[in-house]
Amino acid sequence: MSRLGIKICGLSTTDTLHAALKHGASHVGLMHFPKSPRHLELEALHGLATQIPAHVGRVVVMVDPDDTLVSAITAPGVVSALQLHGKESPQRVAEIAARTGLEIWKVISVKRADDIASAAAYTGAAHRILFDAKTPEGSALPGGMGVRFDWGLLAGYHGALPWALSGGLDAANVAAAIAQTGVPLVDVSSGVESAPGIKDVDKIAAFCKAVNAS
């Protein structure tokens, strides 16, 4: 069985980045969305990205970015993937993929079974689907709130694209999520924080240990 992928998302400091790398993260997520407590300005984002070794995915999370922002994020050449967490259509996702030549992750916000089914529309546009919990109505944030959905909706899931799971994961429940869904890659943000936007190196270590023991 191949090793499960681990993405630690919303990192903002060198110490927490190094903790993620030390404990075996396959991907690191950096956030550029001003409403988020994990937001990084471009200079800080690019500075952290340059510290990530080439074998680790360098994923920048954005919400409905325009072409100017996409260009600003990707111009230095230190990003390996873009995670689109807004209402981007399959056509828009395909445009960004063509414009950047990067791997594109499309987030699908899930509450019901038909949300899972909607991922099929992104076949041929995105490179990976990330199933995340739908945040409460009226929320300013599209994710990173520790909300989870019914993982049973993904039991036996076989989509056309590689996929990942996010939403309410932490060291205590990630093994159960993996067992229930068979997911190949798990993504955590608030589940390894001591406060919103503040990553905890011990929680990062515990999460990675729990995944690797699954």
Side-chain angles (χ1 to χ4, degrees), residues 1 10 34 57 61 64 68 70 75 84 91 105 117 121 126 149 156 167 173 181-182 193 202:
M1 182 177 176
V61 183
D64 297 307
T68 300
V70 169
L84 302 177
Q91 180 183 1
W105 298 26
F149 63 94
N173 66 23
T181 64
E193 291 181 342
D202 293 330

Short mmCIF file of all heavy atoms in Angstrom, two decimals, residues 1 10 34 57 61 64 68 70 75 84 91 105 117 121 126 149 156 167 173 181-182 193 202:
data_model
loop_
_atom_site.label_atom_id
_atom_site.label_comp_id
_atom_site.label_asym_id
_atom_site.label_seq_id
_atom_site.Cartn_x
_atom_site.Cartn_y
_atom_site.Cartn_z
N MET A 1 0.85 -1.20 0.00
CA MET A 1 0.00 0.00 0.00
C MET A 1 0.88 1.25 0.00
O MET A 1 1.86 1.34 0.73
CB MET A 1 -0.89 -0.01 1.26
CG MET A 1 -1.85 1.16 1.33
SD MET A 1 -2.91 1.02 2.79
CE MET A 1 -3.80 2.56 2.68
N GLY A 10 -2.26 26.20 5.65
CA GLY A 10 -2.38 27.44 6.40
C GLY A 10 -1.17 27.74 7.27
O GLY A 10 -1.29 28.44 8.28
N PRO A 34 -7.29 37.47 2.26
CA PRO A 34 -7.22 38.44 3.35
C PRO A 34 -8.19 38.20 4.50
O PRO A 34 -7.90 38.60 5.64
CB PRO A 34 -7.48 39.78 2.66
CG PRO A 34 -6.97 39.57 1.27
CD PRO A 34 -7.32 38.14 0.94
N GLY A 57 5.00 19.17 -2.13
CA GLY A 57 4.10 20.04 -2.88
C GLY A 57 3.93 21.38 -2.21
O GLY A 57 3.71 21.45 -0.99
N VAL A 61 -3.39 28.44 -1.58
CA VAL A 61 -4.85 28.43 -1.51
C VAL A 61 -5.38 29.83 -1.79
O VAL A 61 -4.97 30.81 -1.16
CB VAL A 61 -5.33 27.98 -0.11
CG1 VAL A 61 -6.85 27.91 -0.07
CG2 VAL A 61 -4.70 26.64 0.26
N ASP A 64 -11.50 32.40 -5.64
CA ASP A 64 -11.95 33.15 -6.82
C ASP A 64 -10.93 34.20 -7.26
O ASP A 64 -11.28 35.39 -7.42
CB ASP A 64 -13.30 33.82 -6.55
CG ASP A 64 -14.41 32.80 -6.28
OD1 ASP A 64 -14.59 31.89 -7.11
OD2 ASP A 64 -15.08 32.90 -5.24
N THR A 68 -4.79 38.71 -12.54
CA THR A 68 -3.69 39.50 -11.99
C THR A 68 -3.12 38.84 -10.74
O THR A 68 -1.89 38.73 -10.57
CB THR A 68 -4.16 40.93 -11.66
OG1 THR A 68 -4.64 41.54 -12.85
CG2 THR A 68 -3.02 41.76 -11.09
N VAL A 70 -3.44 35.63 -9.87
CA VAL A 70 -2.84 34.35 -10.25
C VAL A 70 -1.42 34.57 -10.76
O VAL A 70 -0.48 33.86 -10.38
CB VAL A 70 -3.69 33.63 -11.32
CG1 VAL A 70 -2.94 32.45 -11.92
CG2 VAL A 70 -5.02 33.16 -10.72
N ALA A 75 4.32 34.02 -10.47
CA ALA A 75 5.44 34.58 -11.22
C ALA A 75 6.82 34.16 -10.71
O ALA A 75 7.71 33.87 -11.52
CB ALA A 75 5.34 36.11 -11.26
N LEU A 84 -8.05 26.04 -5.41
CA LEU A 84 -9.11 27.02 -5.64
C LEU A 84 -10.29 26.69 -4.74
O LEU A 84 -10.92 25.64 -4.86
CB LEU A 84 -9.53 26.99 -7.11
CG LEU A 84 -8.37 27.27 -8.10
CD1 LEU A 84 -8.85 27.16 -9.54
CD2 LEU A 84 -7.75 28.64 -7.84
N GLN A 91 -14.86 25.77 -16.30
CA GLN A 91 -14.21 26.56 -17.34
C GLN A 91 -13.12 27.44 -16.75
O GLN A 91 -12.01 27.55 -17.28
CB GLN A 91 -15.24 27.42 -18.08
CG GLN A 91 -14.61 28.28 -19.18
CD GLN A 91 -15.62 29.18 -19.88
OE1 GLN A 91 -16.80 29.18 -19.53
NE2 GLN A 91 -15.16 29.95 -20.85
N TRP A 105 -5.88 22.15 -7.78
CA TRP A 105 -6.79 21.44 -6.88
C TRP A 105 -8.08 22.26 -6.81
O TRP A 105 -8.05 23.46 -6.57
CB TRP A 105 -6.22 21.35 -5.47
CG TRP A 105 -4.95 20.59 -5.32
CD1 TRP A 105 -3.98 20.38 -6.26
CD2 TRP A 105 -4.48 19.97 -4.12
NE1 TRP A 105 -2.94 19.66 -5.73
CE2 TRP A 105 -3.22 19.39 -4.42
CE3 TRP A 105 -4.99 19.84 -2.84
CZ2 TRP A 105 -2.48 18.70 -3.46
CZ3 TRP A 105 -4.26 19.16 -1.89
CH2 TRP A 105 -3.02 18.58 -2.20
N ALA A 117 -21.17 14.30 -5.98
CA ALA A 117 -21.38 14.04 -7.41
C ALA A 117 -20.96 15.22 -8.27
O ALA A 117 -20.55 15.05 -9.43
CB ALA A 117 -22.85 13.70 -7.67
N ALA A 121 -17.90 17.25 -12.69
CA ALA A 121 -17.89 18.34 -13.68
C ALA A 121 -16.48 18.89 -13.90
O ALA A 121 -16.22 19.53 -14.92
CB ALA A 121 -18.82 19.46 -13.23
N ALA A 126 -9.56 20.29 -13.53
CA ALA A 126 -8.68 20.22 -12.35
C ALA A 126 -7.80 18.97 -12.42
O ALA A 126 -8.04 18.07 -13.23
CB ALA A 126 -9.52 20.21 -11.08
N PHE A 149 -17.95 16.92 7.61
CA PHE A 149 -19.18 16.40 7.04
C PHE A 149 -19.24 14.89 7.27
O PHE A 149 -18.31 14.30 7.84
CB PHE A 149 -19.29 16.75 5.54
CG PHE A 149 -18.22 16.16 4.67
CD1 PHE A 149 -18.42 14.94 4.02
CD2 PHE A 149 -17.01 16.82 4.45
CE1 PHE A 149 -17.44 14.40 3.21
CE2 PHE A 149 -16.03 16.30 3.63
CZ PHE A 149 -16.24 15.07 3.00
N GLY A 156 -16.39 4.14 -0.48
CA GLY A 156 -16.40 3.51 -1.80
C GLY A 156 -16.25 4.48 -2.96
O GLY A 156 -16.44 4.09 -4.11
N GLY A 167 -11.54 19.08 6.37
CA GLY A 167 -12.72 19.46 7.12
C GLY A 167 -12.83 18.77 8.46
O GLY A 167 -13.29 17.64 8.55
N ASN A 173 -9.16 11.90 15.14
CA ASN A 173 -10.18 11.29 14.26
C ASN A 173 -9.68 10.93 12.87
O ASN A 173 -10.42 10.31 12.09
CB ASN A 173 -11.40 12.20 14.15
CG ASN A 173 -11.12 13.53 13.45
OD1 ASN A 173 -10.17 13.67 12.69
ND2 ASN A 173 -11.97 14.53 13.71
N THR A 181 -13.22 6.18 4.48
CA THR A 181 -13.28 6.70 3.12
C THR A 181 -12.27 6.08 2.15
O THR A 181 -12.47 6.12 0.94
CB THR A 181 -13.04 8.22 3.11
OG1 THR A 181 -11.70 8.47 3.56
CG2 THR A 181 -14.03 8.94 4.01
N GLY A 182 -11.16 5.56 2.67
CA GLY A 182 -10.10 5.08 1.80
C GLY A 182 -9.37 6.21 1.10
O GLY A 182 -8.74 6.01 0.06
N GLU A 193 -4.01 23.48 15.23
CA GLU A 193 -3.82 24.84 15.73
C GLU A 193 -4.17 24.94 17.21
O GLU A 193 -5.05 24.22 17.72
CB GLU A 193 -4.70 25.82 14.95
CG GLU A 193 -4.26 26.00 13.50
CD GLU A 193 -5.11 26.98 12.72
OE1 GLU A 193 -6.25 27.28 13.15
OE2 GLU A 193 -4.63 27.43 11.67
N ASP A 202 3.50 20.57 18.14
CA ASP A 202 3.18 19.27 18.73
C ASP A 202 1.95 18.64 18.09
O ASP A 202 1.88 17.42 17.88
CB ASP A 202 2.97 19.40 20.24
CG ASP A 202 4.25 19.78 20.98
OD1 ASP A 202 5.35 19.40 20.49
OD2 ASP A 202 4.17 20.47 22.01
#
